[in-house]
Amino acid sequence: MGSSSSVEKKVETTGKEERGGVPKRARKRKVEEYASDPLSGSYKSDDGKVELRLDVDKVAPYWPVLNAASGDIRRDNGDLVSFQCRSLRSESNTTTFKGTAKMWRDEDVKSRAVRSAKVTIEAKQLQGKWTAHVTIQQKGYPEDMVFDCKRYSKYFRSVNLDVDYCTDTLQLPKFDTHSHPTRPFDLPQRILDLVTIFGDIGIEMVHNTENSSKVEDPDPSNPWSLSELKDVMKIHQNVNQNQWNLWVLLANKYRDPRSAGLMFDKKNRKGCVLFLDHPWFRGISDETPNPKAMRKFLHTLVHEIGHAFNLPHTFESGNQSSLSFMNYDWKYNEIHEPNAYFRNFHYTFDNAEVMCLRHGRSCWVEPGASRWGAGLPIISAPPDADSDDPHFTKLKLDVKPTKSSYSQMEPVFVELRIKNTHKRPIYLDTRLDLESHNTKIFVTTPDGRVLEVEPTTNHIIPPFIQGLYPEGSEEGPDRVSDVIPLVYGEDGFYFCSPGKYHIKAVYRSGEYYVTSEEIELSVEKVENTEILKVFFTDVMGEYIEMGGSEDSTYDACRELLNKLAGSDEYSPWADMLTSMTCQYKKKPRSVMRTGDNKRVKVSIQESSLETTLSRTQKLVDNLHANGTPRQSILYKKSVMQRAEIFIALGQAEKAEVEVKMMLNDLKERKVKFFVIQWIEDEWMKLKGESSPKTQQEIIQERVNEIVTWYTEDFDKEEEINEESGLGHSTIFSHFNRRHTSSRDDLVYKIMAKADDEDDIVSVLEYADSLQKTRQYNLSVVQDALLIFIVHHPLAKEAGIHFPEFPGAPEMDLSTSAISLTPDGPADESTMNYFRNDWDFCFHHSHWHRVYFGGKIPTSKETYTYLDRQGELFGYMHKQMLARYNAERESWGLEKAVAYDFSEVEPLGCDLGKQFHDHSENGRFHPRPARVQWRSADFTRFQKFENNIYEAIRNGELTFTPDENGLGQLKIEKIPLDLEEDVAAEGYEPRSGSMNWMGNILEATTQTFNKTYGNMHNEGHGIFGSTRSGSSYMHTTSHAVRDNIFYRWHTRIDDILHAFSGTRKTELNKDPPPVIISEWDIIISTSEDQPQGFDKWNKTTGWEQNFDSDTMQTTLGEPKKKFEFLKMSHKPFSYHIRLRRNEKSNTPLHLTLRIFICPAKHVNDRRRWIEMDKFRFILGKDQDHATLTRQDRHSSVIRRNPNDSADDFEIAITKKVSGFCECGWPYNMMLPRGQNENGGEDYALMVFATDNKLDTLDVRSECGSLSYCGAKGMKYPDRRTMGYPFTTPITIGGKIVSINQAAQMLSNMGMTNFKIQNNVRIELDSPPDESVVRPTTVWQARTQLHLTTEAEYKPSSWTGRFRILIRGEMIESDDDIKHIRIRFQGRVKGNGDYKVRDMTLSERGDSLNLRNENILEVTVDGQTSFAIPESGRYSDILSFELEPEVDYFLTFLLDSPSCYVSPATSGEAVTWRIKDADGDAAVSQDWNALKEQGKISHTRSSLYAIQRILGAGENWQ
């Protein structure tokens, strides 16, 4: 054996385990030694007739040892003998090896080993080189085969790689394994390319860049066709007769844009192509190549070369979990989790593949030497799916021929259709074409042979995940179909002989595996044998398979097909062949061959556009005149191909005519509506008509649909198997650690999906699938998706904003929760307007999604904690309390009092019927009054609180190093008196003392739970749990609506205040040399500075003093649902003057911090409200300056990027990305104030600090910098949050009051102003008491027994409808003389729909009407009318709607409307006639129609109608 004196060291990985694909902390891996003088490699006899491959020791660091041998022996008579020994044994650790080999004795690539033999290999070193003496003993043969060989290479195979390219320069993949964070934790850092990848497994890739040629292409935007690629390979491939050869072309794009690459001569495996314009490879040519794109470039190219070596996909052999180059990453992820493949992939082949490449028969492995599939086994029989597996019974696969009988030569087409037969949606890869590798089709010939239908090309195309919905669902289709041509493939023509054929199909993707029933079709004999001989040739098969070619090789093929098409005997099916072989290009291609000191122009011509139209005309005419429903997809494909040609020729009007003709034909053939709609959408895109909605709007609507989806429909099994562990009946709580841990796990799965696919639509469909398939609790999914939207770069790139709360659109006041402030004394209900302000609730909910407690992506696939989350938690809620208490006191109410653990809470909280009737709020329950905490909770919380106060007194946190199993913690104490970051080893986030306290109270991690509990979160949980179920305090979306929220947070803030009281802030330590006096700051309702405000005298300074304006606030009508009143204010600005207090010729960098406070509380640091902070620079030549700062630029509000144009701070700060939806609502920026005495007195303070010390030199483009920080960076202010009011303040070491500090410090100015409120809504005119107001007499939700507000969904149905209005649900009286019908719109983005011929009548016998009183329903006096997205009322109709009498609304829908479903299936309320324009449309005898089967649908869902209003005689 070779010695092991030389060992190469590997690069070891480092780091820590992180979510989202970042590698774990690396463990040291033992470096396997390898021989400095290995004997493994290739050996050859002196006469060259014997080739031996010996594989017994390690040649390189990453070289697998298989203990195998193989060889090829050319005998004297010319026969080739091959052998393979898979298990060599070394005798007594010597260099003699023995084993049993398989033997092949001919060149037939299909033959298998028919003999076995004993093999002995004796390796020796002669003159410093290894030699091998080989003896092969075959049973039954008198003589052994004996030969001697010399080692000539460490490699087992050598391949000449010829790479040509269409790009500007030749670029081959080079990938740093550590350049991308998604990787195995133990993956060594290396630079991988084709040479190293194949070199690791003993395959020598010989690539001479001088032999690489640029394929000069005058029009790179012109996509390649299959025939062009074949022609270019003939011209460009360099062939070394003494070596294996493989050709690679790096092209731009293929005519099918989905294709990233292909092995386009699968039958001979001579080459492959990659299309570098594919989205996968974007960024490989950047100055710093995109690691993900480069990784995909390497993987895809190695994968395609693997095919050229006859390696099949691993999943084709039933191994979808393989971590090999020959698997697709998405196939692996389908049965694991997103991004799992590259988290575990070590960039190698599996052992069976390595064995094949090293030791497989040479004719099986050499590119071009044998047909596909001769090497490793591929499943090629149609197995029956096991019907006991539930995944098999959820889907039904059908295969249907477009005809039952064909003629010889006639192309056979079959329709594949996969249908959801399950009660839940199924999300799967819906590509059914054979190139997807999801589907296999098997043909049994008349003589009993079973042939697998295999195209001659092998494309690599990303998956297309789509939802298939239960039959009859309005959410989407229950099936998907495609038409597959079965003409020619690896086994030649499939239907070349007359007789009976049987066809069966198999679909397999992820967990789903289903087979079709076997179908039969017949092929009739054609008597003209001469034509058959010419037709059934490989040349003709290739010509048809590649879609035609103008190459002279195929002249005879074109002539024959033209002859057949011109014959009445063979037309019209010959027209189909003509159509199949005229795949057009917009331009012919002319390429230049350079290299070998030659430049040759090569013109590649394809069918002209006019020729293509001519050749396909007869086919379309026949499909129009004689087509059947089975040929609908074929018809559509043919017409749309022609439409594209017409448009390219500038003849769009002809395309329009043909497409409309085809659509009308399909409608007459009863093609489903969603298919018609799909074709219409495709046609709109093709002719370039823009959609009324942008892609961003479509995506945003999809987000809103997903996060507002709701159901209570789940069964016991689904409840048990719910993957988060919560079950479906549990309401998700943001304050339950078990709940949030499950959510966080899902957050990282969704983020991994985004990192993996870079496709926002795929991410959204993935999230939606998790809830609709009942895999996860819907609230867990929705909250995880919201966190993804807030944090992931892909969501930002897509322009997604945080979805609005339920009822966010402008409200219909007839359904609002409006309640004006009472005239009597203020009480707790007075604050409803504040607590229920939609923008305020949004702020709190969104903030907790930004600071959700887990790691966030700082860029794609790089994750970290947000900076200072604990401190910001305390500060943001402290500011909420300061504003809330200011509001309370403006009404004469006491400030919020901390909740006492032992008290009986007297008030409770009930948000009212309108709130609880809404679909998303139905699972919440009011919090009852007069409830007391359990004694166990009281005792536990008192213990935790005492421990926290003890830590504050002692100045340090103490805990057990292994609390909650976190064994990585190494310290037991953390001091609470340090300003700098302090971190326990292995614990994040890094944090100072204020941050530690916030983390303890919010329990961002579980590190301290045993000692200090989880006070904030568990307190929310106790208040949010009632005997009836969950209440508002369970969720961040509604907690602030409950009055107890503020009392609970006062208790939390008391602890933080006690801690901050132990600290001091010295304000004379680093003040900037600037003077701001009380006369230098005013707040004004004008953006213009008062005249003379900037007037400066060098001797006396500022010459005039100015007073602030009175700020004006309003309480107006509510704007959104669940609001009571809406706070707002008149816009205002700060005007500030400042001057230096010492001479200097350097710029003065300042941070200006603005606060307000009720005047009576100026010395209470908890009552100051931060209004703004920003950077300002006093130039080096300036000794004074004035500035104006508008309210809309404030750092605390949810800043709108559209308002930033006039912000002076833009010019002096760096622009950073913010959390755009995060921040205090602008409409609540000012407290309410008072109406009396000209307003409430407030103090205004401006405090200047040294900006160089603060490091506040950035400005977020949107959102609040103060409350939310900036994305991807530390919190942009080094001072404590709320500085200088965080702690007691000192000047010269002496504690002073805030009032005293303002008088003593030159850099702090404080002045007074007033805030005045108007209190009441001002109406333009008093209400007209004579006008009769309508009341609701019937509602859809009441009839359907919905406990929540009805949520309508867009429908896809048209036809004539009959809707039942149940009399028992009518709430009317004798005064109701008139009615109006409210039509529900399809909601924003889904367009209008058209209603006509609507009538209202009493119900007669079963489905029929009583004909005495049939009322015609009109809108604007018309019987045909459109319903906009926002909905519409009918005209006022004279009709007495009587209780206990059933009525029917009958109407015709020319376009789809919308519907609402009951919570559980109920009695029928809707009947539909699909064929609305036939006899059924005019017939009034619906009972007879039902017996005739013409009532196409009966549903418990209710369509188009929302409610009916009624009133008396004077209704206006």
Side-chain angles (χ1 to χ4, degrees), residues 919-937:
S919 61
E920 290 209 347
N921 303 331
R923 298 167 77 185
F924 290 101
H925 299 269
R927 182 175 59 81
R930 304 199 58 76
V931 173
Q932 186 178 26
W933 277 22
R934 297 182 307 165
S935 60
D937 292 331

Side-chain angles (χ1 to χ4, degrees), residues 726 728-733 739 777 779 923-925 1029-1030 1034:
L726 275 65
H728 294 288
S729 57
T730 302
I731 293 183
F732 173 77
S733 172
H739 291 198
N777 178 300
S779 298
R923 298 167 77 185
F924 290 101
H925 299 269
S1030 293
H1034 251 163

Side-chain angles (χ1 to χ4, degrees), residues 411-555:
V412 174
F413 288 85
V414 296
E415 178 187 351
L416 289 184
R417 183 181 71 187
I418 193 159
K419 179 181 178 182
N420 180 3
T421 57
H422 189 47
K423 66 179 180 179
R424 300 288 182 239
I426 292 176
Y427 292 76
L428 71 168
D429 188 353
T430 55
R431 297 173 301 149
L432 299 180
D433 56 90
L434 299 179
E435 292 171 344
S436 70
H437 305 290
N438 297 326
T439 308
K440 290 181 179 289
I441 299 177
F442 299 91
V443 177
T444 303
T445 63
D447 60 3
R449 291 179 301 130
V450 178
L451 306 177
E452 181 182 348
V453 178
E454 293 185 275
T456 58
T457 57
N458 194 53
H459 284 264
I460 183 166
I461 298 175
F464 179 70
I465 306 301
Q466 182 181 353
L468 297 183
Y469 295 85
E471 183 177 10
S473 169
E474 288 282 358
E475 293 191 78
D478 64 349
R479 68 196 70 189
V480 66
S481 301
D482 201 358
V483 168
I484 312 296
L486 310 181
V487 181
Y488 178 84
E490 290 295 292
D491 291 297
F493 284 91
Y494 299 110
F495 300 92
C496 54
S497 301
K500 299 290 186 182
Y501 288 79
H502 295 87
I503 302 175
K504 194 168 189 176
V506 177
Y507 173 88
R508 184 168 196 166
S509 179
E511 62 185 359
Y512 299 106
Y513 181 32
V514 60
T515 64
S516 72
E517 295 292 331
E518 190 172 80
I519 64 165
E520 181 181 277
L521 61 84
S522 62
V523 174
E524 304 298 330
K525 185 177 182 180
V526 170
E527 298 298 336
N528 192 329
T529 57
E530 293 302 318
I531 290 181
L532 294 177
K533 288 179 182 179
V534 177
F535 185 88
F536 288 122
T537 62
D538 283 337
V539 175
M540 177 64 81
E542 291 173 4
Y543 178 71
I544 296 172
E545 180 73 7
M546 77 172 76
S549 171
E550 297 298 308
D551 189 282
S552 59
T553 306
Y554 305 103
D555 286 347

